[in-house]
């Protein structure tokens, strides 16, 4: 090694929860860490994924701020791996490179009409209301009376709730300013949540499902027949169901007993239905409905309960379809990628080739390592597994051997490649600007959305909006 620094150096690509937990643990393990993100802002999905009406969940950023205050930490925001800098260049400068950039693409249904106007991946809707710079230009059809949300996970619940909250409830959140008036004017009165399997297999967590039954302006509507379990699911729940599934089923049975209370809006849950076509006029006409097939539950070869289509179909009229059926990773630069799983190829966090031979000095954490599952805290354990592998490799002398790990030279290289790179101080300046803007309105912050505004606030430390 041609560096004078005695501490090994790690680059972590992606400043979401997994990136921050890995940073903290690597600092503990004696590394200096450069945390690099595509956006000028840190926190990943905590900023641009967690629903605006869930501020408590967002308060986890206080933990990450503590990490950022530690000796040996640097942040470089607004730097793109693959265009500003490359994988090969990172390996010239760091003993360990850790990919933590999450799963950015949405899964596709692969059905006719999926891309009609009015049918969108939930990821885009979430990015839009959360003020992700990529979502600013989006337009959504919100004048229809009914929306169908496909999928039975927590993202489906988030988007359903965002459509059903009162304008006054949203007005005190950090929902993006461009989305607030559009959501307030939206005419959607009913959201239908569609699960391809039954209540026992729903992926919701209990608090999220409970919240759907406590909305101020929407009744919850579950037909008693929908809450009935088929015999296979009943037995599966009894024998193998975890507490979450059992409580979900109990909650859904409770919802099925409820009568409408006369609220103006409604959330309807339907199960055992898969969309087979998004309907509309001609090839490109806007959405007018979804044709769905009724499913039954059957075990597959491994005994897992899956949805199998029957002959019965029905049409649900609607003008908006949000597809919330999970995410998949996007290959970045030439980082080894498992296209079938949509993840970086790895064994327990060590990036590897097709024969599972590790790539020296390359590691992965979070959703791009294991897939888009679990809650924020799951990433702490996930990072611990990867950091343990890094520590093993350090002890065995098996880390990467960079040609030039000098930290000042690295900072100069990043500044040369990306003159607008935002440091942690730059982020603190954006943060202060956003909080100050939100304060008079009783909001936690008013997010800056345009990249130019974010960069100006990072530089100036004073309000700047274009
Ligand atoms: P998810 O929990 O994996 O749910 C995906 C849903 O899509 C499942 O119901 C799945 O059904 C369904 N699905 C998949 N392919 C389908 C298809 N072809 N047709 C119809 N349905 C299909 O994913 P997510 O909602 O995107 O959430 C990702 C992770 O973030 C989860 O771990 C979630 O808990 C977490 N999250 C947490 C919060 C929170 O804590 N408040 C909020 C948002 C997200 P099958 O089960 O049949 O595959």
């Amino acid at each position: 090694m041609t560096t004078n620094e005695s501490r090994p150096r790690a680059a972590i690509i992606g400043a979401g929860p997994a990136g921050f937990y890995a940073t903290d643990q690597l600092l503990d393990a004696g590394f200096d860490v450069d945390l690099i993100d595509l956006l000028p802002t840190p926190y990943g999905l905590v900023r641009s994924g967690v629903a605006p009406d869930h501020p408590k969940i967002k308060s986890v950023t206080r933990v990450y701020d503590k990490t950022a205050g530690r000796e040996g930490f640097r942040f470089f925001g607004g730097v793109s791996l693959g265009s500003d800098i490359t994988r090969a260049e990172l390996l010239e400068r760091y003993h360990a490179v850790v990919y933590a950039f999450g799963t950015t693409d949405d899964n596709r249904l692969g059905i006719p009409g999926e891309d009609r106007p009015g049918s969108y991946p939930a990821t885009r809707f979430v990015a839009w209301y959360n003020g992700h710079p990529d979502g600013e230009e989006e337009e959504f059809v919100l004048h229809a009376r009914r929306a169908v949300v496909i999928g039975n996970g927590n993202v489906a619940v988030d988007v359903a709730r965002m459509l059903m909250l009162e304008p006054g409830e949203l007005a005190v959140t950090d929902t993006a300013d461009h989305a607030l008036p559009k959501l307030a004017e939206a005419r959607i009165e009913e959201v239908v949540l569609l699960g391809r399997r039954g209540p026992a297999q729903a992926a919701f967590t209990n608090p999220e499902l409970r919240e759907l039954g406590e909305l101020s302006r929407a009744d919850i509507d579950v037909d008693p027949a929908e809450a009935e379990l088929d015999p296979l699911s009943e037995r599966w729940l009894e024998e193998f169901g975890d507490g979450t599934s059992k409580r979900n089923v109990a909650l859904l049975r409770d919802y099925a007993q409820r009568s409408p209370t006369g609220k103006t809006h409604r959330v309807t849950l339907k199960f055992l239905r898969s969309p087979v076509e998004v309907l509309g006029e001609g090839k490109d006409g806007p959405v007018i409905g979804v044709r769905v097939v009724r499913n039954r539950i059957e075990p597959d070869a491994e005994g897992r309960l899956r949805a199998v289509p029957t002959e019965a179909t029905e049409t649900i009229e609607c003008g908006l379809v949000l597809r919330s059926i999970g995410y998949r990773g996007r290959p970045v630069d030439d980082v080894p990628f498992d296209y079938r799983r949509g993840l970086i190829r790895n064994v327990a966090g060590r990036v590897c080739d097709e024969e599972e031979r590790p790539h020296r000095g390359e590691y992965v954490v979070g959703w791009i390592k294991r897939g888009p599952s679990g809650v924020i805290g799951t990433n702490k354990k996930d990072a611990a597994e990867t950091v343990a592998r890094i520590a093993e490799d350090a002890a065995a002398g098996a880390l990467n051997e960079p040609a030039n790990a000098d930290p000042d030279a690295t900072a100069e290289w990043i500044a040369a490649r990306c003159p607008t790179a935002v440091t942690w101080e730059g982020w603190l300046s954006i943060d202060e600007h956003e909080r100050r803007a939100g304060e008079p309105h009783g909001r936690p912050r008013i997010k800056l959305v345009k990249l130019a505004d974010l960069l100006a606030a990072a530089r100036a430390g004073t309000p700047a909006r274009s």
Side-chain angles (χ1 to χ4, degrees):
M1 273 177 278
T2 58
T3 170
N4 295 326
E5 289 290 309
S6 54
R7 283 164 69 88
R9 299 182 43 72
I12 299 188
I13 315 301
F20 264 104
Y21 292 125
T23 300
D24 204 53
Q25 294 167 17
L26 278 172
L27 290 168
D28 286 345
F31 282 72
D32 282 354
V33 179
D34 286 351
L35 183 59
I36 298 172
D37 200 281
L38 183 62
L39 291 181
T41 51
Y43 312 140
L45 281 181
V46 177
R47 179 172 165 103
S48 61
V50 172
D53 64 324
H54 279 172
K56 265 199 197 144
I57 297 182
K58 288 176 195 249
S59 65
V60 71
T61 57
R62 286 204 284 267
V63 175
Y64 308 150
D65 293 346
K66 272 203 185 137
T67 300
R70 292 182 62 179
E71 186 78 30
F73 173 89
R74 299 192 301 190
F75 177 67
F76 297 97
V79 179
S80 165
L81 171 61
S83 47
D84 294 321
I85 56 173
T86 67
R87 171 192 180 210
E89 289 169 332
L90 288 169
L91 289 167
E92 283 166 17
R93 288 170 172 82
Y94 294 95
H95 301 89
V97 177
V98 184
Y99 304 110
F101 46 71
T103 50
T104 38
D105 286 348
D106 53 285
N107 282 332
R108 302 218 12 116
L109 285 166
I111 60 171
E114 186 168 5
D115 295 313
R116 286 181 182 284
S119 168
Y120 317 98
T123 45
R124 271 169 57 189
F125 190 60
V126 171
W128 172 73
Y129 65 61
N130 269 325
H132 188 291
D134 288 352
E136 197 223 343
E137 305 279 315
E138 296 277 6
E139 293 286 340
F140 296 93
V141 172
L142 299 174
H143 54 71
R145 301 271 179 210
R146 184 182 293 127
V148 170
V149 178
I150 296 161
N152 266 184
N154 282 337
V155 172
V157 174
D158 279 350
V159 298
R161 207 177 57 251
M162 285 299 288
L163 287 168
M164 291 291 96
L165 287 174
E166 300 255 17
E169 290 170 317
L170 282 177
V172 292
T173 69
D174 64 2
T175 304
D177 265 7
H178 58 243
L180 278 175
K182 301 271 169 57
L183 288 167
E185 289 157 16
R187 293 170 63 194
I188 292 161
E189 289 167 355
E190 182 184 13
V191 177
V192 178
L193 276 167
L194 216 59
R196 68 173 164 184
R197 297 192 288 163
Q201 292 88 29
F204 315 128
T205 47
N206 306 138
E208 280 63 31
L209 183 57
R210 195 169 298 116
E211 233 181 326
L212 270 190
E214 294 166 351
L215 293 171
S216 59
R217 70 168 177 179
D219 279 321
I220 188 110
D221 180 10
V222 180
D223 188 310
E226 299 280 341
E228 287 293 319
L229 298 191
D230 60 280
L232 272 176
S233 296
E234 189 82 67
R235 211 170 333 127
W236 175 85
L237 190 68
E238 186 87 357
E239 288 178 25
F240 308 110
D242 59 8
T244 298
S245 316
K246 286 180 177 162
R247 281 188 293 272
N248 273 349
V249 169
L251 266 172
L252 288 162
R253 285 181 174 148
D254 169 50
Y255 291 164
Q257 299 307 312
R258 291 194 192 174
S259 308
T261 62
K263 292 179 181 171
T264 50
H265 292 58
R266 184 163 50 154
V267 175
T268 304
L269 283 92
K270 289 179 184 284
F271 297 96
L272 292 171
R273 287 171 178 84
S274 286
V276 288
E277 184 174 4
V278 179
L279 303 167
E281 292 282 327
K283 207 165 76 61
D284 300 318
V287 172
I288 55 171
V290 185
R291 198 157 60 81
V292 301
V293 65
R294 299 292 294 252
N295 296 327
R296 62 170 188 277
I297 293 290
E298 266 188 17
D300 65 11
E302 280 91 46
R304 281 189 304 253
L305 297 183
R306 61 185 180 138
V308 176
T310 66
E311 297 290 304
T313 61
E314 63 195 50
T315 295
I316 305 171
E317 282 179 26
C318 65
L320 173 68
V321 173
L322 292 172
R323 312 182 308 264
S324 180
I325 59 166
Y327 303 76
R328 54 187 290 113
R330 187 184 297 173
V332 171
D333 206 5
D334 56 351
V335 180
F337 199 74
D338 178 340
Y339 284 84
R340 192 184 55 81
R341 299 183 64 209
L343 305 173
I344 290 179
R345 205 178 280 287
N346 77 95
V347 176
R350 281 191 184 103
V351 176
C352 65
D353 65 13
E354 283 182 36
E355 275 77 47
E356 302 200 338
R357 286 180 303 233
H359 279 261
R360 200 175 170 111
E362 287 182 284
Y363 305 89
V364 58
V365 289
W367 279 9
I368 194 65
K369 166 189 173 188
R370 70 173 193 279
S373 64
V375 292
I376 290 169
T378 314
N379 294 297
K380 193 168 180 179
K381 212 168 138 214
D382 182 299
E385 181 189 49
T386 298
V387 171
R389 301 291 82 75
I390 299 175
E392 278 170 19
D393 290 349
L399 288 178
N400 181 47
E401 292 178 7
N404 180 5
D406 179 70
D408 295 334
T410 299
E412 282 164 24
W413 160 68
I414 293 179
R417 287 306 177 78
C418 185
T420 53
V422 171
T423 60
W424 192 255
E425 289 65 37
W427 154 246
L428 292 179
S429 163
I430 295 172
D431 186 44
E432 196 198 330
H433 168 85
E434 291 186 341
R435 286 177 191 276
R436 247 195 293 145
E439 216 172 74
H441 308 280
R443 299 173 64 189
R445 66 179 64 240
I446 294 180
K447 283 182 180 170
L448 291 172
V449 176
K450 292 181 183 163
L451 276 178
D453 292 345
L454 285 161
L455 295 177
R459 276 193 307 271
T462 49
R465 298 190 105 189
S466 64

